[in-house]
Amino acid sequence: MKIALCIKQVPDTTDIRWTENNTIQREGVESIINPYDVYATELALDIKSEISNVHITVFTMGPLQAENMLRKVLALGCDDAVLISDKKFSGSDTYATGLTISRAIRTELPDFDLIICGQFAVDGDTAQTGPNIANFLDIPQVTYVKTFEELKGNELYLTREVEDGLERVKVTLPALVCVLQKDIEPHRATIGGVMNAAKKEIKKCCISDLALTPEKTGIKGSPTYVSKAFRNVSHHNAEKFNLSTDDSVKLLKEKLETLGVLKDA
């Protein structure tokens, strides 16, 4: 079974910087692996631990510094990694990103069985990239996945979260799944895993490798754009009081009466 694991490097939320096009600056900024992609990685490793002959190839689209993140995931037990990197990819929205990653998977792992993505990316929170990849590859998708149940032939059984609980679903491979957060203790890299990851050759793909043109990716290939980006600033006239319980109740009652919310009976 061949798995394409799609992960993303996101900026540390305490150190976000913006480009002149109102996109997030990624080069030279402290970054972390997208939290939901940690759970996608765990799902891929769970499948590998339960099924024989599973090969996991990790894909990420980003600047060259994302190679460090790929090596960390390789150290956990993934097998190969592909870095999709080119200045011309900068500013891609979810549509252009989905197209670019789908081309990379089709180029580097054409006989894939399963694609695994995190449900959301914390720097965008749109949940559109995974479904876009599935759309460009013309394969079925299952979103909001919690756990892997079993594989029977070419049919994968999963548990997914729905509005009123959980449901068990079946999807025919090849397919794509998007993974939600779950209560688990993530895998930890072993010394041997770190040493093997350091020796691994990471395949790099640029725009020409994927038979794309600048008009199809990056800002030019993105039908959506960010018109304005800003930090949320809270404006309020909060007051702080250090009072006893009785005095707090009295003060609250007075404030509510002043606002007309609470009236004497």
Side-chain angles (χ1 to χ4, degrees):
M1 183 181 190
K2 294 186 179 181
I3 295 176
L5 171 63
C6 298
I7 64 175
K8 184 179 183 182
Q9 189 179 53
V10 296
D12 187 336
T13 54
T14 61
D15 189 29
I16 291 179
R17 305 174 194 172
W18 305 99
T19 69
E20 61 182 10
N21 297 307
N22 287 325
T23 58
I24 294 176
Q25 179 180 322
R26 301 184 186 278
E27 293 185 346
V29 177
E30 187 67 29
S31 300
I32 59 173
I33 183 172
N34 177 50
Y36 284 93
D37 296 343
V38 173
Y39 300 106
T41 303
E42 291 301 312
L43 181 67
L45 294 174
D46 284 348
I47 294 174
K48 186 176 182 179
S49 68
E50 295 188 30
I51 299 174
S52 60
N53 298 320
V54 171
H55 190 98
I56 303 172
T57 302
V58 190
F59 290 81
T60 194
M61 177 175 165
L64 294 177
Q65 70 187 45
E67 182 176 324
N68 294 330
M69 176 192 66
L70 289 174
R71 293 198 185 279
K72 289 179 181 178
V73 178
L74 287 172
L76 297 175
C78 296
D79 301 288
D80 290 304
V82 178
L83 174 56
I84 311 161
S85 187
D86 196 304
K87 289 282 188 182
K88 295 181 179 66
F89 297 150
S90 298
S92 295
D93 67 356
T94 54
Y95 179 87
T97 298
L99 173 62
T100 305
I101 295 175
S102 68
R103 286 286 184 92
I105 293 173
R106 186 66 82 188
T107 301
E108 299 298 329
L109 197 68
D111 54 346
F112 69 89
D113 298 293
L114 179 65
I115 301 173
I116 303 178
C117 306
Q119 182 65 50
F120 302 98
V122 296
D123 61 346
D125 206 24
T126 63
Q128 294 174 351
T129 300
N132 268 317
I133 295 172
N135 177 60
F136 285 118
L137 294 174
D138 194 25
I139 57 175
Q141 59 180 288
V142 181
T143 55
Y144 298 96
V145 169
K146 296 288 283 186
T147 57
F148 159 72
E149 297 294 336
E150 60 180 333
L151 178 69
K152 292 182 178 180
N154 68 333
E155 294 179 340
L156 185 68
Y157 291 80
L158 305 155
T159 299
R160 69 187 296 263
E161 187 175 287
V162 292
E163 189 172 346
D164 56 352
L166 299 173
E167 69 176 8
R168 191 170 188 260
V169 296
K170 175 184 73 176
V171 63
T172 301
L173 302 179
L176 178 144
V177 300
C178 295
V179 183
L180 278 179
Q181 178 179 353
K182 57 180 180 178
D183 296 326
I184 55 169
E185 180 66 30
H187 283 74
R188 296 181 183 275
T190 63
I191 294 176
V194 173
M195 294 176 64
N196 289 333
K199 301 174 186 175
K200 279 278 186 180
E201 178 184 357
I202 293 179
K203 171 74 176 179
K204 294 181 176 65
C205 290
C206 64
I207 191 169
S208 59
D209 296 322
L210 306 182
L212 286 170
T213 63
E215 290 71 33
K216 291 288 187 179
T217 188
I219 291 177
K220 291 183 179 179
S222 300
T224 64
Y225 67 95
V226 179
S227 61
K228 184 178 181 182
F230 59 92
R231 292 182 183 274
N232 184 37
V233 179
S234 178
H235 297 284
H236 58 75
N237 297 314
E239 295 179 80
K240 245 181 162 180
F241 300 93
N242 185 13
L243 303 172
S244 66
T245 302
D246 290 341
D247 288 340
S248 296
V249 172
K250 182 179 179 181
L251 177 63
L252 179 60
K253 181 174 180 293
E254 291 173 355
K255 294 289 186 182
L256 293 175
E257 288 174 347
T258 300
L259 294 171
V261 176
L262 183 65
K263 298 180 180 179
D264 291 331

